[in-house]
């Protein structure tokens, strides 16, 4: 589905995946498009005025540039007003959400219902963005990434829709992007050449060499191989295909790699002309820019020339309701062996899936979401108790929960890491659990906890509220549901409360209806097959053989020439002057100041940031871990994962969780490494505590923290065992989607002391350590060590804190923080401690690690040690990374090499990294990385490219920060407003000469800087032949 991002075709449960870091912004970022409908509530409003000038100008029935205003509605709880319009001539639909938010969003989308698994809508999504009539340069979408200050740009294909969204705070940028996006979808070039690049093609392995073998290449072809390299993705895809088998959902909308090569260019253009018609279009805009400008632009430039003829499409693409089954079904699928799974005999997955209500039934959808929270979330939920805690498997499978993205919605409970012999047992447990819930119902506190979280999420402000709305509303809108009704979350809550008042058994009756008396039920099972990978390869080989057998000499000649043709096209310098652009001079010169105050209680420093937080208080703390020995340090991530989940002397873990749900947004701990901005050998290592709550619950929040600090009980080995197994399984599931992050971490750890510590906390070495811990027969000794960590850390000896709150709650919340800090044991000795790393040996050869995994794609990384944040070369290196990403790596590694993504970045550790993502190549990619130096010094770029690279850097720097997170860069990284301003000024003045200087100094072979390499991917015999590199091969088995 996605072009840069990675949303998987099943379009499910993406939000549950854990993401390790933010190394990539647009490429495969953690901003996954698809969330649950009910998490509309996650995105929140500022407590600002709805009544702004101009807002009242539109009323129902009014005509506006070919559109008719059909509905105007206020949603006070989200501080917004919605406008629904329809285009008279074509029937195109429009939703505008007016809200006092500067991060404006836009999207144009279509209902796209595939009728095979060739990945048609997905490949069309890619090709659409390869050039249009108005913007005929190659790949304007990627080009715009660097000519804009977009806070988000992407395109996504779901199971039955395709959307093209962006967000930006700049009005000129908004117009520029809207124009490029609309031209792309309504007037795309869809050249055959682009189809071959993005979709699939037959081509010589070495394009220039007629004698090299002909193979299948293509961006989406490789992307989808990468997607299905992850077992849980195979499972999710199959669940969707099998439980909704009679219409469009039985196909793989992203494309099955084996079916993709059946697609022709003509299929693509036919599909486009049918589906990308205004009468099948949905336009969305959000924010504080006026709707009138958007509507007039869309009508005058695109819609007014279309006639009513096209309005047939909307009906043609309707997805009918699934015909309900008379009896349950069963299905088994195979997957690959997974070396990262703790228990070799327990690599199977089983799930029970049930088809629930129609997505347009808003109240049902809401209540099913509540039920899902009650049934599968946290240690008090019924299925957690019966399925996860007995340790039959390694926790819920990612399909678990309620999913409202399809016409008929789905509830599923699955267990991963089980033995195939236990399939029946698990299904029996499922049935017994449902029976128990139906007869006993739910605890009142648990229901209140879920409703409290809905209230808290409505108030908690996030920076991408508009996009959140879009992603959550799109599936409902796609099936013509009532959007306004869906946004009235308070109505849904009070309706549920009423239902419960009239019938105390209301929720359990719903469970009976949807989970018990429901024959549309699928039991899906999956087990590894040793030959899976081999079979897949063979099928691909046979497909290729079949294709080759039918080729005439003439065809072969054509393939050779087409390959050359595409290569030339990819190498051609593109004239981008037709594209609009922002300039660095359009950007603000001075940063937005974030005033923070310093205070202290019992010598513990507290940073106070007063913000309009909408009735929520945010509390964070850092505990230093430098006093721990290495063995204990290695367990810090596990300590973070379990310490708030084990219970205290006052409350067992279930009671504790229930209180946390009722009073807070969660108590979280995460490992923390912050580099010194002046010295690369210095870093702060610790644990960050983070939490937030409604102001009225501040007392409870600090009492809970106090209880964790002073009365945590770390003795229940069985509970610990469950938590360890779930953590290990979840880490294992994320490897393929985060492969580039793991590769960079592995390489960086070879040359940077703080990166080494990060690798131990979150890299592949952490993943394999957790797998080993999960395999231990007796976990008591490990738990004993966790206890030692808690005794060392949970006091005020090395504590420092930060709080973000509103002015009106400041005094009351501060008094609660004061008593919390005073209550903590020990006395504050040194709140800020830095670790000084020993100098590591310089060696002549380049250290390199190859993590061997049985996956069909590679993740390649190269790292170079450079300078800290305050150094004068930091700014030019940052610009250089952007320049290389778009002008050098993208054309060579994605366009020519067929990898899904690639890039360069500079971390706060001063590590300059190159990487590739889902890459069919390995050594060729390493050669491209090495060639960066010559490319820069060969002056193969223009001044406009430098300008664009700077814009790319500012995109990240100027991304909006929600009130609850302001001042965090100061608290966590020690970077104050003055340093940020200096860095901004340095970036503004970076010149071509500066880029040459840093390139010569850090990227050359003879520069004397230290560099390192890593490869995550299948076994690779070529590596040893590479000169000057010392490869350490780590086989995960
Ligand atoms: Zn894609």
């Amino acid at each position: 589905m996605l072009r840069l991002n990675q949303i998987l075709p099943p379009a499910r449960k993406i939000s549950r995946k854990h993401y390790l870091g933010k190394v990539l912004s647009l490429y495969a970022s953690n901003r996954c498009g698809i969330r649950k409908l009910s998490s509309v509530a996650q995105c929140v409003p500022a407590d600002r005025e709805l009544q702004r000038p101009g807002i009242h100008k539109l009323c129902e029935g009014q005509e506006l540039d070919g559109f008719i205003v059909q509905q105007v509605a206020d949603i006070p709880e989200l501080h917004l007003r919605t406008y629904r319009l329809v285009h008279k001539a074509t029937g195109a639909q429009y939703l505008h959400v007016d809200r006092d938010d500067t991060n404006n969003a836009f999207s144009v989308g279509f209902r796209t219902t595939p009728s095979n698994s060739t990945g048609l809508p997905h490949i069309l999504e890619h090709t659409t963005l390869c050039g249009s009539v108005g913007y005929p340069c190659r790949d304007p979408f990627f080009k715009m990434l660097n000519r804009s200050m977009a806070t988000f740009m992407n395109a996504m294909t779901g199971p039955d829709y395709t959307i093209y969204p962006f967000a930006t705070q700049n009005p000129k940028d908004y117009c520029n992007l809207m124009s490029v996006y609309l031209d792309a979808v309504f007037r795309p070039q869809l050249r055959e050449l682009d189809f071959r690049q993005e979709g699939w093609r037959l081509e010589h392995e070495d394009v220039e060499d007629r004698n090299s073998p002909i193979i299948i290449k293509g961006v989406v072809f490789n992307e989808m191989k990468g997607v299905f390299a992850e077992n849980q993705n195979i499972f999710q895809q199959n669940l969707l295909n099998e439980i909704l088998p009679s219409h469009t959902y039985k196909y793989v909308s992203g494309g099955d790699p084996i079916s993709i090569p059946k697609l022709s260019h003509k299929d693509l253009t036919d599909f486009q002309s049918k589906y990308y018609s205004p009468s099948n279009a949905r336009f969305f805009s959000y924010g504080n820019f006026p709707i009138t400008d958007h509507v007039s632009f869309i009508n005058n430039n695109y819609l007014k020339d279309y006639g009513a003829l096209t309005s047939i499409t909307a009906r043609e693409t309707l997805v009918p309701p699934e015909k309900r089954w008379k009896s349950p079904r069963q299905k088994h699928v195979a997957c690959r062996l997974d070396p990262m799974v703790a228990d070799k005999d327990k690599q199977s997955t089983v799930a029970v899936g049930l088809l629930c209500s129609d997505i347009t039934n808003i109240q049902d959808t809401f209540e099913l979401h509540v039920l899902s929270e009650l049934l599968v979330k946290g240690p008090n939920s019924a299925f957690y108790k019966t399925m996860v805690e007995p340790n039959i498997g390694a926790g819920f499978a990612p399909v678990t929960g309620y999913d409202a993205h399809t016409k008929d919605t789905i509830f599923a409970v699955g267990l991963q890491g089980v033995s195939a012999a236990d399939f029946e047992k698990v299904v029996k447990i499922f049935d017994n659990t449902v029976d128990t819930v139906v007869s006993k119902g739910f605890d009142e506190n648990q229901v209140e906890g879920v409703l409290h979280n809905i209230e808290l999420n409505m108030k908690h402000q996030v920076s991408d509220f508009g996009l959140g709305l879009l992603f959550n509303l799109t599936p409902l809108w796609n099936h013509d549901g009532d959007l306004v009704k869906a946004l009235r979350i308070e109505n849904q809550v009070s309706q549920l409360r009423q239902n419960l008042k009239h019938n105390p058994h209301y929720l359990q009756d719903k469970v009976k209806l949807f989970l018990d008396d429901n024959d549309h039920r699928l039991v899906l099972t999956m087990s590894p097959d040793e030959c899976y990978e081999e079979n897949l390869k063979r099928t691909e080989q046979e497909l290729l053989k079949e294709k080759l057998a039918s080729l005439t000499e003439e065809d072969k000649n054509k393939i050779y020439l087409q390959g050359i043709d595409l290569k030339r096209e990819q190498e051609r310098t593109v004239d981008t002057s037709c594209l609009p652009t922002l300039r660095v001079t359009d950007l603000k010169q001075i940063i937005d100041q974030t005033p923070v105050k310093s205070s202290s209680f019992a010598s513990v420093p507290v940073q106070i940031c007063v913000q309009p937080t909408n009735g929520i208080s945010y509390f964070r703390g850092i505990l230093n871990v430098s006093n721990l020995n290495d063995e204990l340090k290695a367990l810090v991530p596990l300590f973070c994962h379990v310490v708030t989940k084990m219970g205290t002397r006052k409350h067992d873990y279930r009671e504790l969780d229930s209180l946390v749900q009722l009073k807070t947004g969660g108590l979280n701990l995460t490992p923390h490494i912050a580099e010194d901005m002046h010295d690369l050998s210095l870093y702060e290592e610790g644990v960050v505590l983070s939490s937030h709550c409604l102001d009225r619950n501040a007392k409870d929040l600090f009492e809970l923290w106090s209880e964790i600090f002073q009365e945590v009980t770390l003795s229940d080995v069985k509970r610990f065992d469950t938590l360890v197994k779930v953590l290990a399984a979840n880490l294992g599931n994320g490897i393929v989607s985060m492969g580039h992050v793991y590769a960079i971490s592995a390489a960086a750890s070879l040359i940077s002391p703080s990166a080494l510590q990060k690798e131990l906390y979150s890299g592949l070495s952490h993943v394999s350590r957790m797998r080993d811990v999960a395999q231990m027969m007796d976990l008591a000794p490990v738990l004993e060590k966790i206890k030692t960590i808690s005794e060392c850390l949970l006091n005020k000896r090395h504590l420092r804190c930060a709080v973000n709150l509103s002015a009106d709650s400041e005094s009351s919340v501060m008094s609660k923080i004061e008593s919390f800090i005073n209550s903590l044991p020990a006395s504050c000795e040194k709140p800020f401690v830095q670790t000084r790393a020993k100098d590591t040996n310089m060696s002549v050869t380049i250290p390199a690690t190859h993590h061997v995994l049985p996956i069909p794609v590679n993740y390649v990384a190269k790292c170079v040690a450079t300078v800290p944040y305050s150094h004068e070369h930091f700014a030019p290196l940052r610009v250089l990374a952007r320049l290389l990403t778009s002008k050098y790596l993208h054309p060579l590694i994605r366009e020519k090499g067929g990898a899904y993504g690639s890039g360069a970045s500079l971390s706060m550790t001063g590590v300059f990294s190159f990487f590739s993502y889902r890459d069919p190549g390995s050594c060729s990619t390493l050669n491209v990385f090495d060639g960066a130096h010559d490319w820069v010094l060969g002056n193969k770029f223009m001044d406009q490219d430098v300008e664009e690279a700077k814009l790319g850097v500012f995109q990240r720097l100027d991304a909006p920060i929600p009130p609850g997170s302001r001042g965090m860069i100061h608290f966590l990284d020690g970077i104050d407003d003055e340093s940020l301003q200096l860095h901004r000024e340095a970036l503004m003045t970076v010149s071509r000469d500066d880029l040459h200087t840093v390139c010569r100094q850090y990227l050359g072979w003879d520069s004397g800087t230290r560099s390192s390499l890593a490869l995550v991917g299948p076994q690779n015999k070529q590596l040893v032949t590479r000169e000057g590199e010392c490869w350490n091969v780590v086989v995960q088995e």
Side-chain angles (χ1 to χ4, degrees):
M1 12 220 53
L2 355 195
R3 175 158 181 96
L4 298 171
N5 209 336
Q6 43 161 110
I7 294 215
L8 311 175
R12 310 191 65 209
K13 305 298 155 42
I14 307 284
S15 55
R16 297 180 175 220
K17 297 218 156 162
H18 68 281
Y19 285 90
L20 275 179
K22 296 178 197 140
V23 174
L24 306 177
S25 58
L26 282 157
Y27 296 76
S29 81
N30 54 359
R31 286 182 273 206
C32 282
I34 302 197
R35 280 187 236 169
K36 300 199 157 194
L37 179 68
S38 34
S39 64
V40 157
Q42 276 183 357
C43 329
V44 189
D47 42 356
R48 295 180 197 149
E49 272 295 309
L50 200 70
Q51 314 291 332
R52 298 197 318 279
I55 188 172
H56 271 305
K57 281 186 190 150
L58 293 183
C59 46
E60 289 173 10
Q62 185 181 337
E63 266 197 60
L64 184 71
D65 283 300
F67 282 87
I68 295 200
V69 181
Q70 289 193 313
Q71 185 188 24
V72 181
D74 282 345
I75 314 288
E77 64 258 47
L78 296 175
H79 306 250
L80 57 85
R81 173 169 297 166
T82 60
Y83 296 89
R84 292 208 55 183
L85 295 85
V86 68
H87 191 252
K88 278 201 305 182
T90 64
Q93 300 183 51
Y94 195 114
L95 171 68
H96 176 70
V97 177
D98 186 286
R99 192 155 168 277
D100 190 8
D101 183 344
T102 56
N103 197 14
N104 286 263
F106 176 85
S107 163
V108 54
F110 305 94
R111 186 153 61 206
T112 47
T113 45
S115 52
N116 57 52
S117 291
T118 57
L120 232 182
H122 183 191
I123 293 170
L124 177 58
E125 173 226 301
H126 277 240
T127 323
T128 294
L129 297 167
C130 286
S132 64
V133 176
Y135 300 106
C137 78
R138 175 161 51 86
D139 225 353
F141 182 78
F142 268 99
K143 303 287 181 296
M144 283 307 288
L145 283 176
N146 301 306
R147 303 166 79 92
S148 148
M149 285 293 283
T151 55
F152 184 89
M153 267 181 86
N154 217 327
M156 294 142 187
T157 310
D160 53 6
Y161 60 83
T162 307
I163 53 173
Y164 296 83
F166 69 78
T168 179
Q169 306 181 87
N170 183 307
K172 183 176 165 200
D173 200 25
Y174 196 95
C175 294
N176 291 349
L177 288 168
M178 190 160 64
S179 174
V180 172
Y181 268 54
L182 290 174
D183 212 65
V185 299
F186 291 119
R187 299 196 295 168
Q189 289 184 317
L190 299 186
R191 298 182 304 171
E192 209 261 338
L193 194 83
D194 297 318
F195 167 70
R196 282 190 283 122
Q197 173 180 295
E198 296 295 321
W200 74 278
R201 64 185 181 275
L202 289 175
E203 193 175 272
H204 287 281
E205 199 170 302
D206 176 353
V207 182
E208 308 271 3
D209 178 6
R210 257 178 210 276
N211 296 319
S212 69
I214 296 177
I215 58 169
I216 302 172
K217 296 182 185 174
V219 173
V220 172
F221 179 71
N222 284 318
E223 178 189 342
M224 295 313 295
K225 273 176 144 182
V227 167
F228 294 119
E230 205 159 302
N231 283 338
Q232 289 303 326
N233 288 343
I234 299 176
F235 194 78
Q236 292 191 348
Q237 183 67 55
N238 273 285
L239 184 74
L240 178 72
N241 297 157
E242 297 295 332
I243 202 165
L244 291 163
S246 57
H247 197 256
T248 192
Y249 303 122
K250 75 172 152 190
Y251 304 110
V252 183
S253 59
D256 179 347
I258 292 306
S259 303
I260 289 173
K262 292 179 186 136
L263 186 69
S264 74
H265 179 242
K266 184 172 181 306
D267 298 336
L268 192 84
T269 50
D270 288 351
F271 192 87
Q272 195 277 340
S273 57
K274 180 172 169 195
Y275 287 84
Y276 281 29
S277 120
S279 58
N280 189 37
R282 287 169 175 81
F283 298 92
F284 171 87
S285 56
Y286 163 88
N288 64 356
F289 298 158
I291 175 186
T292 41
D293 295 357
H294 309 332
V295 166
S296 120
F297 181 86
I298 293 170
N299 183 57
N300 293 332
N301 292 286
Y302 294 98
L303 300 190
K304 78 171 189 314
D305 299 332
Y306 281 91
L309 279 177
T310 55
S311 62
I312 190 82
T313 333
R315 283 199 299 281
E316 270 181 41
T317 58
L318 273 184
V319 180
E322 182 72 29
K323 195 164 180 288
R324 299 295 164 136
W325 298 345
K326 297 238 161 38
S327 56
R329 297 184 189 177
Q330 231 168 341
K331 165 93 183 173
H332 182 78
V333 294
C335 62
R336 49 172 67 73
L337 275 167
D338 186 347
M340 297 311 274
V341 166
D343 190 333
K344 297 293 163 211
D345 300 324
K346 292 169 83 169
Q347 291 206 25
S348 294
T349 301
V350 50
V352 180
L354 295 137
L355 209 61
C356 296
S357 63
D358 190 287
I359 191 171
T360 57
N361 188 330
I362 309 287
Q363 190 65 22
D364 265 355
T365 309
F366 172 74
E367 288 169 3
L368 276 159
H369 170 71
V370 172
L371 279 179
S372 167
E373 297 283 292
L374 292 169
L375 289 167
V376 299
K377 192 184 163 195
N380 287 301
S381 64
F383 285 110
Y384 189 95
K385 287 182 195 164
T386 58
M387 275 201 187
V388 176
E389 291 197 329
N391 291 346
I392 312 160
F396 289 128
V399 294
T400 302
Y402 178 56
D403 181 26
H405 287 114
T406 43
K407 168 82 174 146
D408 292 277
T409 61
I410 302 162
F411 181 83
V413 180
L415 212 52
Q416 60 184 338
V418 299
S419 155
D422 285 335
F423 285 159
E424 264 180 55
K425 185 170 157 190
V426 174
V427 175
K428 212 166 262 164
I429 294 175
F430 176 91
D431 290 331
N432 291 340
T433 312
V434 171
D435 288 346
T436 314
V437 171
V438 169
S439 65
K440 292 198 176 143
F442 299 99
D443 180 76
E444 201 180 316
N445 262 345
Q446 214 197 335
V447 178
E448 284 308 318
V450 172
L451 297 180
H452 161 261
N453 264 306
I454 291 171
E455 181 188 356
L456 186 64
N457 283 337
M458 269 197 282
K459 295 199 154 166
H460 172 63
Q461 300 175 66
V462 295
S463 54
D464 55 354
F465 182 81
L467 290 167
L469 276 186
L470 169 73
F471 298 144
N472 286 306
L473 291 176
T474 290
L476 177 65
W477 196 9
N478 201 42
H479 299 290
D480 302 319
D482 186 338
L483 304 180
V484 169
K485 196 172 170 193
L487 289 170
R488 297 198 191 283
I489 296 161
E490 281 185 357
N491 280 2
Q492 294 155 41
V493 173
S494 60
Q495 179 69 51
L496 173 60
R497 286 200 187 275
Q498 252 176 31
N499 294 342
L500 281 168
K501 211 166 133 197
H502 291 142
N503 172 13
H505 294 145
Y506 183 77
L507 282 172
Q508 62 221 75
D509 290 353
K510 285 273 165 182
V511 174
K512 186 160 168 50
L513 175 70
F514 289 119
L515 306 192
D516 198 3
D517 303 336
N518 185 350
D519 283 330
H520 200 114
R521 155 174 158 147
L522 173 74
V523 174
L524 181 66
T525 53
M526 176 175 81
S527 300
D529 176 349
E530 272 177 32
C531 309
Y532 183 85
E533 189 70 43
E534 227 170 276
N535 290 343
L536 212 59
K537 265 191 207 149
R538 196 179 324 119
T539 320
E540 194 188 316
Q541 283 307 319
E542 277 163 12
L543 177 81
L544 180 64
K545 227 157 91 193
E546 204 180 295
K547 295 235 173 235
L548 295 181
S550 64
L551 297 178
T552 60
E553 273 316 302
E554 200 182 322
D555 293 334
K556 284 186 189 161
N557 192 43
K558 195 174 160 201
I559 286 171
Y560 171 73
L561 293 174
Q562 280 183 332
I564 298 284
D565 209 25
L566 183 59
K567 188 167 177 229
R568 296 288 172 265
E569 172 70 9
Q570 287 163 341
E571 284 164 353
R572 191 167 60 85
T573 311
V574 187
D575 176 11
T576 52
S577 57
C578 62
L579 290 172
T581 186
L582 283 187
R583 303 251 146 222
V584 171
T585 46
D586 293 332
L587 309 183
K588 61 187 176 201
Q589 302 291 314
I590 308 288
I591 60 157
D592 297 332
Q593 303 278 324
T594 306
V596 294
K597 297 187 277 188
S598 305
S599 179
S600 74
F601 299 118
S603 304
V604 172
V606 182
Q607 171 182 305
I608 305 161
C609 187
V610 177
Q611 292 286 336
T613 55
N614 205 24
I616 299 187
S617 297
Y618 296 82
F619 169 77
R620 278 109 171 172
I622 295 180
L623 296 163
N624 201 282
V625 302
S626 54
N627 286 339
L628 300 177
N629 64 33
D630 286 350
E631 192 191 4
L632 292 179
K633 270 185 200 170
L635 292 172
V636 162
L638 183 56
F639 164 79
C640 290
H641 179 67
V642 304
V643 73
T644 57
K645 300 186 185 77
M646 295 289 291
T648 64
R649 285 203 291 277
K650 244 185 247 162
H651 299 104
D652 68 24
Y653 65 86
R654 288 193 215 283
E655 292 164 345
L656 186 68
D657 184 75
S658 169
L659 281 170
V660 168
Q661 297 303 322
L662 265 176
K663 302 292 184 186
T664 79
L667 307 180
N668 299 304
L669 284 85
T670 40
H672 163 76
I673 299 287
E675 300 77 15
D676 187 277
M677 61 183 276
H678 308 294
D679 183 348
L680 288 182
S681 64
L682 277 180
Y683 56 94
E684 181 189 31
E685 48 181 339
V687 164
V688 175
L689 321 173
S690 54
S691 55
H692 65 275
C693 67
L694 297 167
D695 287 344
R696 64 166 191 261
N697 294 329
K699 184 164 175 280
D700 306 273
L701 174 77
F702 289 107
E703 280 174 6
L704 283 165
W705 274 124
S706 188
E707 204 177 312
I708 300 284
F709 268 71
Q710 303 186 55
E711 297 179 79
V712 66
T713 49
L714 296 163
S715 50
D716 183 345
V717 180
K718 186 168 170 296
R719 169 72 179 153
F720 183 60
D721 192 20
T722 303
L723 294 172
V724 167
K725 286 203 165 66
V726 170
L727 175 66
N730 288 340
L731 285 171
N733 283 345
I735 293 179
V736 175
S737 57
M738 296 299 290
H740 58 302
V741 178
Y742 285 115
I744 292 171
S745 176
S749 71
L750 300 170
I751 50 168
S752 152
S754 55
L756 174 61
Q757 198 54 47
K758 280 187 181 165
E759 165 69 19
L760 294 175
Y761 281 169
S762 60
L764 276 178
S765 46
H766 166 61
V767 178
S768 48
R769 187 174 332 103
M770 282 306 109
R771 176 199 57 191
D772 295 346
V773 171
Q775 275 171 327
M776 288 178 177
M777 294 305 287
D778 180 13
L779 283 173
V782 183
L783 184 55
E784 205 47 49
K785 285 177 195 147
I786 298 292
K787 207 168 157 188
T788 311
I789 296 176
S790 87
E791 283 158 5
C792 293
L793 297 189
L794 297 179
N795 54 59
K796 60 172 167 282
R797 198 167 293 133
H798 300 298
L799 176 65
R800 56 197 187 89
C801 305
V803 60
N804 284 31
L805 37 62
S806 327
D808 51 5
S809 58
E810 185 175 353
S811 62
S812 84
V813 174
M814 289 314 293
S815 71
K816 277 143 203 146
I817 294 183
E818 181 175 8
S819 36
F820 161 66
I821 291 177
N822 285 331
S823 78
L824 297 182
S827 58
C828 183
E829 289 165 12
K830 203 177 173 198
F832 182 60
V833 189
Q834 282 187 307
T835 305
R836 178 172 287 281
K838 287 176 239 75
D839 230 5
T840 41
N841 288 334
M842 298 279 280
S843 91
V844 220
T845 51
I846 297 170
T849 304
H850 175 27
H851 285 282
V852 179
L853 284 174
I855 49 177
V857 285
N858 296 294
Y859 302 85
V860 191
K862 172 179 176 172
C863 292
V864 181
T866 65
V867 293
Y869 185 82
S870 65
H871 192 282
E872 58 174 326
H873 286 161
F874 196 84
L877 279 164
R878 211 168 172 181
V879 176
L880 182 64
R882 276 305 301 196
L883 178 76
L884 287 171
T885 297
S886 53
K887 298 295 161 187
Y888 175 70
L889 298 169
H890 180 81
L892 289 180
I893 295 178
R894 175 163 166 137
E895 291 180 354
K896 282 171 85 175
Y900 184 41
S902 62
S905 63
L906 179 65
S907 75
M908 291 292 293
T909 45
V911 172
F912 191 99
S913 311
F914 298 87
F915 62 88
S916 72
Y917 184 75
R918 289 185 189 161
D919 187 353
S922 54
C923 293
S924 54
T925 299
L926 287 168
N927 294 340
V928 171
F929 294 163
D930 291 342
H933 170 264
D934 291 353
W935 181 83
V936 175
L937 294 180
N939 261 320
K940 304 226 169 86
F941 55 96
M942 294 175 289
D943 289 339
Q944 169 67 19
D945 299 333
V946 180
E947 172 96 358
E948 290 182 5
K950 288 188 199 176
L951 278 173
V953 173
F954 282 114
Q955 256 174 23
R956 298 285 293 277
L957 289 186
D958 291 350
I961 303 172
S965 302
R966 290 187 194 142
M968 276 307 108
I969 188 162
H970 184 243
F971 179 66
L972 297 172
D973 301 306
I975 300 178
D976 58 15
D977 281 351
E978 199 190 328
S979 311
L980 289 172
Q981 180 64 34
L982 284 174
H983 181 51
R984 187 177 196 82
E985 287 162 16
L987 286 167
M988 295 255 175
T989 59
V990 168
S991 66
R992 179 188 289 265
D993 284 348
D994 296 334
L995 297 180
H996 281 186
T997 305
V998 293
C999 180
R1000 229 178 269 123
Q1001 188 152 349
Y1002 304 101
L1003 299 189
W1005 276 112
D1006 49 356
S1007 63
T1009 46
R1010 281 184 294 168
S1011 62
S1012 58
L1013 308 168
L1015 172 67
V1016 174
Q1019 220 163 38
N1020 194 317
K1021 297 210 171 85
Q1022 289 167 285
L1023 292 177
V1024 291
T1025 65
R1026 296 180 59 86
E1027 271 176 46
E1029 298 169 6
C1030 178
W1031 284 92
N1032 174 31
V1033 179
V1034 182
V1035 181
Q1036 300 288 356
E1037 56 186 19

